[in-house]
Amino acid sequence: MLTALDDAAVGQWCRAAVEALSGARSRLDELNVFPVPDGDTGTNLLHTAEGALAALDSAGGREATWPVLARGAVLAARGNSGTILAQLLRGLADQLTAQPPAEGPAFAAALQKAADGAYAAVADPEEGTFLTVARAAGEAAVAAVDDGAGELAAVVRAAADGARVALDRTPGQLAALREAGVVDAGGAGLCLVLDALVRTVTGVEPVRPALALPEHHHRHEHAPHQPPPGPGSEVQYLLADADEAAVERLQQRLAALGDSLVVVGVDTPTGREWNVHVHVSDVGAAIEAGIEAGRPHRISVTPLAPVWHPEAVPGRRAVVAVVHSDGLAALFAAEGARVVVCGEGGVTEDDIHAEILASGGEEVVVLPNDAGLLPVASRAATRARETGREVGVVPTRSPVQGLAAVAVADAERRFGDDVIAMAEAAAATRWAEVTVADQEALTSAGRCHPGDVLGSAEGDVVVIGPDVAAVACDLLDRLLSAGGEMATLVVGEDEELGATVCAHLSSAHPTVEVVRYGGGPSSLPLQIGVE
């Protein structure tokens, strides 16, 4: 029986919570009907808790436990309930980090304040949700202390019991839960986390009735759930390089664009970061708002409900772009395109096909932005045409060609004419890249060795050298020797390289218009387009 929640106990609680959420993930997913029936609450809560645990394991006891746990949870938080769980943990960390190991009264006060902070983090809080259950847990813990129960074990039992009572009442507070005959999925997940705390402190698992699903609630066996009226996509990203004033403006703008807005901040070794979650119809506007506030990264865009056989919306036109970094995802999303981000495992035909269907477009333009993905995109387009959609693949071989194509897109044109105009804009853009060789090879410019900088144009290596900036400038000079009015630069992680190249263009090619973007993939120091 623990008398105080010290660093070791916090770590044990986190591990126990991950185990509990892992075991209940599918059932929590099945319970998920609010705010949208997208079947991922258990998955999102587990992902958030796993992020906290991974941070603790990585720190290895070299830092105070509470701040590390909070940082891991906030940076890993996914979905509405996951982000609120991260805020709750961050609130506990704020209250308990500077204190000695928390005994009963300290933990009760911290839990109540953390629940208040979770309410404040949600733009439009609803009763009958995770928030209601969290507040009930805090109030029950404080009431137990007021009644003379000072031991930690009694306080955490009271919190867990209070949460479960509140959970059982949630169907009476939300019509969506009442109609489905279920309790709130996020609140149910929080009850599991608090029961894991009871087990950590007392060594005894609380005995609870199973989270039963009514017989008629078989969400994957009948007609698929469709998104409810209102915002159609979940947008989530981490935001860096933003001050409090910028985040406040961001919250106001996102609140006007959609709902289910949750913004949670946490201190990291490189500065304060924010986890931003919102449900919107205009994905591009939500990401653009983040760009104006700071530097969004790890951007994800997810349809709000599983759509197994979605119908195309008559007259709707969409653009689907494949990209290789979060920065490029933000650029294309800001232009109104839907994005498929290529991860470590690459992008599959199924990924592109699913995004074409999820767009809801009757007419869809696909920008593969990679020569190797052209056949993959074409196969996905062929499959999508079988659903009655008109799909055109513009053969963009680089993101700079994709940006040129999306810049001339015009939904008022006839679809075929629009695809032709986008293809012509892409073809008129000569593309080039600066890379670093990872192995010895024979190229069209001679033999290269690992570490050499390569400048390639239209896929052929034309410059080899030891210095990235020098190769980049030489490559641009060669491209512009054939003429060009505008140069588009997509810079990777080295912002100084972008500044050097822009200065060279200003000096050597003063009549050329230059457009510079950041956020390129780390594997490509510079991508170039010349029109």
Side-chain angles (χ1 to χ4, degrees):
M1 187 80 71
L2 299 180
T3 59
L5 203 60
D6 58 13
D7 282 358
V10 172
Q12 292 168 13
W13 174 27
C14 187
R15 196 171 300 279
V18 168
E19 292 173 0
L21 291 171
S22 179
R25 175 175 61 178
S26 60
R27 185 165 293 273
L28 293 174
D29 285 346
E30 291 289 332
L31 285 173
N32 178 199
V33 299
F34 184 85
V36 288
D38 47 0
D40 62 0
T41 291
T43 300
N44 291 339
L45 288 170
L46 176 60
H47 191 272
T48 304
E50 286 178 334
L53 182 59
L56 289 176
D57 289 343
S58 178
R62 293 183 297 274
E63 300 178 61
T65 297
W66 274 116
V68 172
L69 179 144
R71 183 168 70 238
V74 170
L75 297 183
R78 181 187 293 172
N80 195 65
S81 292
T83 309
I84 299 173
L85 173 62
Q87 169 62 35
L88 189 74
L89 294 174
R90 200 214 79 177
L92 286 171
D94 288 346
Q95 298 298 317
L96 298 175
T97 296
Q99 296 189 16
E103 298 179 348
F107 179 78
L111 182 59
Q112 186 174 51
K113 289 182 179 179
D116 291 342
Y119 265 91
V122 178
D124 189 16
E126 293 265 8
E127 293 302 331
T129 63
F130 186 116
L131 296 172
T132 306
V133 176
R135 182 176 60 193
E139 290 175 347
V142 171
V145 172
D146 291 342
D147 289 342
E151 298 84 3
L152 180 63
V155 169
V156 297
R157 282 196 198 100
D161 291 345
R164 190 60 189 243
V165 170
L167 176 69
D168 292 340
R169 293 174 178 165
T170 56
Q173 296 172 294
L174 274 176
L177 303 179
R178 185 165 57 252
E179 292 168 5
V182 296
V183 296
D184 180 68
L190 176 58
C191 286
L192 293 174
V193 171
L194 292 173
D195 282 348
L197 176 59
V198 173
R199 176 157 61 94
T200 300
V201 172
T202 68
V204 179
E205 183 79 34
V207 178
R208 309 285 189 197
L211 295 171
L213 294 171
E215 291 183 3
H216 67 273
H217 188 65
H218 298 293
R219 65 193 331 274
H220 297 310
E221 297 177 9
H222 302 298
H225 286 268
Q226 297 298 322
S233 294
E234 176 186 67
V235 176
Q236 189 155 14
Y237 48 79
L238 298 181
L239 183 70
D241 303 335
D243 57 28
E244 298 281 348
V247 171
E248 184 176 349
R249 291 192 297 272
L250 172 65
Q251 289 176 292
Q252 293 172 353
R253 182 167 177 187
L254 293 180
L257 287 172
D259 57 28
S260 295
L261 173 61
V262 189
V263 179
V264 182
V266 70
D267 291 325
T268 75
T270 58
R272 195 162 182 79
E273 290 213 32
W274 307 82
N275 193 318
V276 180
H277 171 279
V278 68
H279 293 173
V280 293
S281 296
D282 192 340
V283 171
I287 297 175
E288 183 179 357
I291 295 172
E292 291 177 0
R295 180 173 59 85
H297 59 109
R298 272 180 36 194
I299 301 166
S300 67
V301 178
T302 308
L304 281 175
V307 182
W308 303 105
H309 301 289
E311 297 296 328
V313 178
R316 177 181 292 178
R317 186 174 300 174
V319 176
V320 172
V322 182
V323 298
H324 290 264
S325 72
D326 289 336
L328 287 170
L331 290 177
F332 278 93
E335 294 295 329
R338 299 180 66 94
V339 294
V340 180
V341 181
C342 186
E344 293 181 1
V347 168
T348 68
E349 175 187 329
D350 288 341
D351 294 332
I352 299 174
H353 178 257
E355 197 62 34
I356 293 172
L357 300 189
S359 74
E362 184 180 42
E363 301 167 336
V364 183
V365 181
V366 181
L367 306 175
N369 296 332
D370 185 320
L373 291 176
L374 287 176
V376 179
S378 296
R379 291 194 299 270
T382 299
R383 287 172 54 192
R385 292 187 191 107
E386 295 172 358
T387 67
R389 290 165 171 78
E390 195 169 356
V391 185
V393 179
V394 175
T396 52
R397 291 168 168 78
S398 168
V400 292
Q401 288 190 317
L403 289 169
V406 78
V408 301
D410 184 354
E412 298 301 317
R413 276 195 293 249
R414 193 173 64 86
F415 180 66
D417 293 339
D418 201 29
V419 172
I420 291 171
M422 295 174 73
E424 288 176 342
T429 303
R430 285 168 287 150
W431 60 280
E433 298 174 342
V434 175
T435 60
V436 178
D438 57 5
Q439 60 184 2
E440 184 175 350
L442 183 62
T443 75
S444 52
R447 184 170 297 278
C448 71
H449 299 87
D452 283 346
V453 181
L454 311 179
S456 62
E458 305 286 339
D460 290 327
V461 177
V462 296
V463 185
I464 301 176
D467 181 72
V468 175
V471 168
C473 293
D474 189 354
L475 180 61
L476 275 162
D477 290 341
R478 291 170 184 250
L479 289 168
L480 291 169
S481 66
E485 298 177 353
M486 184 171 76
T488 301
L489 309 177
V490 178
V491 184
E493 295 179 339
D494 187 358
E495 289 296 327
E496 186 176 342
L497 171 63
T500 300
V501 171
C502 285
H504 172 75
L505 286 171
S506 177
S507 173
H509 307 278
T511 63
V512 174
E513 180 184 354
V514 179
V515 180
R516 171 185 169 187
Y517 299 109
S522 58
S523 59
L524 288 174
L526 183 67
Q527 296 175 85
I528 302 168
V530 173
E531 301 176 50

